[in-house]
Structure formats: structure tokens, C-alpha cells
Amino acid sequence: MASDRIFISLFFLLSVLACAPLCLCTGYLYPEFYDRSCPKANEIIKSIVVNAVAREPRMAASLLRLHFHDCFVKGCDASILLDSSGSVVSEKRANPNRDSVRGFELIDAIKSELEKECPQTVSCADILAVAARDSTVLRGGPFWEVPLGRRDSKGASLSGSNQNIPAPNNTFQTILTKFKLQGLDIVDLVALSGSHTIGNARCTSFRQRLYNQTGNSKPDFSLDKSYSAQLRTRCPKSGGDQNLFFLDFVTPATFDNSYFKNLLIYRGLLNSDEVLVTKSQQALTLVKKYSESNEAFFEQFAKSMIKMGNISPLTGKSGEIRIHCRKVNG
């Protein structure tokens, strides 16, 4: 594990050096950003996340998802946290987020403590990035140094949320296209999909696979029949929309590579999971690789999280440091 951390740190350093000329002009992200301005920032975030996940293990996956849904819309700028107010139309109302994305109160609690320690210093966007990392580690996943220095947006994009966030019923090509639009590739797609090793999904997000996958009133042929029968007991043709199901039914509370092993026996819960093994040979090869090596999965997941966290951050004098994560300042 020590060698993994050294490798990941070296990867980050090389990434920063590679973009150094641009960074000198616009500001850039680095793990030590708050070492002087708010040295206890990481400690405060971690302590609150630890307590929250201890109370409710599901919160770990929720915090990971918040960061993901934030970064895929206008970059990692905490736009997902804004409530509707004035000219801001909240992303929380978007189809991928409504009645689904959660953890906002926990982010509020973290921000409140940070404001007491170092007022208007730590951004909500950085809170999301660190909380996602801490959540992963708490469930047994890899550690990585989180590059910091993001600032918060002054607006949100409801349309961006509806258009850019991959949906459970998207085709493989649509999902890959949405990743590529963010500067991510197929390796990132497969590795980051591995976050489904923890967390839950609602019946409504995969019901079509059980009853009407292609509009012919038949179930998805790529879904294991016994697993499908088990799912139908709690996910009927109508009703039960909000019933929750583990994304990884083998080790649902542990961050590991069981998710990939499930895919290979056609027991991926969401259509967006199963297409990784049925619609792309390259993706299938990666799924097999990660299913055989937890170490390989962890190493790539950490790299891809760093890469995702670097999607179009606001730095320097762009954006602001919100006092309250739910609303813009002033």
C-alpha cells in the first residue's frame, strides 16, 4: 500500500509539472493549498465524515456521488450544492439528482465548522473532493492526495445536469461520449464505475431491465435470470419506485473489486454497469483486469479520481469562496 501511495503522489506531481506553464497564469491545484491558511481543514472534514459514515454507511457512496455529479456539470465548482434563489436554478431539480442525490446537510455541517476555524477560506468544491476521498478510504478503498485550491461557482446549470451526467439507461457509447466531453477516457469510465462497489440504486433506475428492456415486454437478456427473479420480488412493474437495492450485492459496504466480478457473471444492477461487459471489448478487458486485481483497480481509481477532480476548476480570482454552500455570497 505504501508503494501505491508513492506511485499516486508521483503521478500527481508529474501531472502538475506537465501543465506548469498554464498553471503559472491561472492558478492550479495542489494538496498543500490550505497548509498555511487553514491547516486543520483536512482534519475537520475527515472527523465529520467519519462520524457520519459510522452512523450511516450509505453516506460514503452518497458523498462520492455528489462529487461526481458536481464535476460533470460546469466542472468541480460546487454548483450542485446551490439552492434555487434569484437567478440561480438549482441543479438539485435535474433528473439525475432529483430525489436521489443526498448529503447536503453533511456538507453544510462541514462548512459550518470550517467557517469557525478559518472564515471564507475553504471552498465548498474542495470540501466535496476531500469528503469523496475520505468516504472511499472509510469503506476500505484507496487513499490519494487530493489536489486543492478550487473555488466555488456563482451559478448552476440545470440543463447541464440533465445533459451531461450519465444516466443508468444510457447506451455505452452515450456514456463514453459524456466522459470524453469531460476529458476522461474509457479507462476512467471503467475505473470510476467501480465506485458502484458501494451504495444503492432505486427500483425506478433499473426496472426496465426486469420487464421491458427494448420495448418488447421482455427482460434484459444479459441479466442473470436468478438475479433478475430476486430483484423482481421488491421491484414490481409498478410501484416501489424508491425501493433501494445494493449496487454490489456481495460486499455492499466494502470498497473492493467485487463489483467487477459481479459484472462478469451478468449480475450488474444497472444497464450502465452491464454494458461495460456486453458492448465494448476494451471495457470488458478492463473489467477482467480489475476483477482479478484489487490493487490494479485501486491504483487506477485513485488516478481517475484525481483526473476527474481536475475538470475545469475555478482558481485564482475566478468564482468565490462561499460562506454558505447552498447560496452565493452577498
Side-chain angles (χ1 to χ4, degrees):
M1 186 60 73
S3 62
D4 289 347
R5 294 189 183 186
I6 292 172
F7 181 87
I8 292 166
S9 297
L10 178 60
F11 170 82
F12 167 71
L13 177 60
L14 292 174
S15 298
V16 170
L17 291 175
C19 68
L22 176 63
C23 294
L24 292 174
C25 301
T26 63
Y28 63 100
L29 310 180
Y30 55 98
E32 300 80 15
F33 188 85
Y34 296 113
D35 280 6
R36 293 188 178 183
S37 60
C38 194
K40 293 184 179 180
N42 278 283
E43 177 185 333
I44 290 171
I45 295 171
K46 181 179 178 180
S47 65
I48 296 176
V49 172
V50 166
N51 290 332
V53 172
R55 289 193 305 269
E56 184 190 10
R58 181 188 171 202
M59 185 55 69
S62 297
L63 292 174
L64 254 177
R65 192 159 182 254
L66 258 185
H67 184 42
F68 178 84
H69 281 217
D70 179 45
C71 290
F72 266 62
V73 183
K74 295 171 24 43
C76 306
D77 61 1
S79 59
I80 194 172
L81 302 179
L82 291 171
D83 289 336
S84 293
S85 177
S87 61
V88 175
V89 179
S90 179
E91 294 171 13
K92 298 174 185 178
R93 296 170 52 190
N95 292 329
N97 299 331
R98 189 173 58 248
D99 301 324
S100 175
V101 172
R102 56 198 295 274
F104 300 108
E105 293 78 9
L106 180 58
I107 300 300
D108 290 341
I110 294 172
K111 181 61 173 174
S112 178
E113 289 304 308
L114 286 170
E115 285 299 305
K116 294 175 186 176
E117 179 70 20
C118 32
Q120 211 163 346
T121 301
V122 181
S123 69
C124 302
D126 278 345
I127 292 173
L128 288 175
V130 175
R133 188 273 314 279
D134 290 345
S135 296
T136 301
V137 174
L138 286 169
R139 303 321 302 166
F143 174 92
W144 64 92
E145 295 286 354
V146 179
L148 301 169
R150 300 168 189 80
R151 289 168 64 85
D152 301 321
S153 70
K154 296 181 181 180
S157 177
L158 179 65
S159 60
S161 294
N162 282 322
Q163 295 169 9
N164 297 342
I165 298 173
N169 60 349
N170 278 163
T171 65
F172 175 81
Q173 195 55 52
T174 297
I175 296 170
L176 181 59
T177 297
K178 289 181 178 182
F179 269 72
K180 286 183 175 180
L181 287 173
Q182 306 301 333
L184 304 174
D185 58 26
I186 191 169
V187 177
D188 302 309
L189 165 56
V190 177
L192 292 175
S193 293
S195 63
H196 286 179
T197 181
I198 57 175
N200 302 266
R202 297 175 297 159
C203 166
T204 186
S205 65
F206 62 87
R207 175 184 282 122
Q208 85 286 347
R209 298 193 72 200
L210 305 180
Y211 303 103
N212 191 27
Q213 175 69 351
T214 59
N216 60 359
S217 298
K218 293 182 179 180
D220 185 348
F221 72 90
S222 68
L223 184 63
D224 177 78
K225 290 183 179 180
S226 62
Y227 183 47
S228 179
Q230 179 184 342
L231 294 173
R232 285 196 295 271
T233 62
R234 293 186 51 243
C235 187
K237 284 186 177 181
S238 61
D241 287 6
Q242 304 303 316
N243 289 349
L244 294 175
F245 294 77
F246 292 130
L247 287 161
D248 171 4
F249 69 95
V250 177
T251 57
T254 302
F255 197 101
D256 58 20
N257 65 343
S258 288
Y259 164 80
F260 297 106
K261 295 177 182 179
N262 296 339
L263 296 187
L264 292 175
I265 57 173
Y266 302 103
R267 292 192 169 197
L269 184 62
L270 306 178
N271 183 73
S272 55
D273 295 323
E274 203 60 52
V275 294
L276 298 181
V277 297
T278 60
K279 300 299 182 181
S280 166
Q281 185 60 47
Q282 187 178 357
L284 174 59
T285 299
L286 289 165
V287 169
K288 288 179 178 178
K289 176 182 178 180
Y290 301 147
S291 73
E292 295 168 356
S293 173
N294 208 51
E295 183 178 358
F297 167 45
F298 278 19
E299 181 181 299
Q300 185 57 54
F301 184 82
K303 290 181 187 177
S304 294
M305 284 297 292
I306 292 171
K307 189 175 177 181
M308 185 185 78
N310 277 295
I311 297 175
S312 304
L314 298 173
T315 59
K317 295 184 179 180
S318 299
E320 63 182 9
I321 304 297
R322 290 185 212 141
I323 299 173
H324 301 286
C325 290
R326 292 174 180 262
K327 62 182 181 180
V328 297
N329 297 337

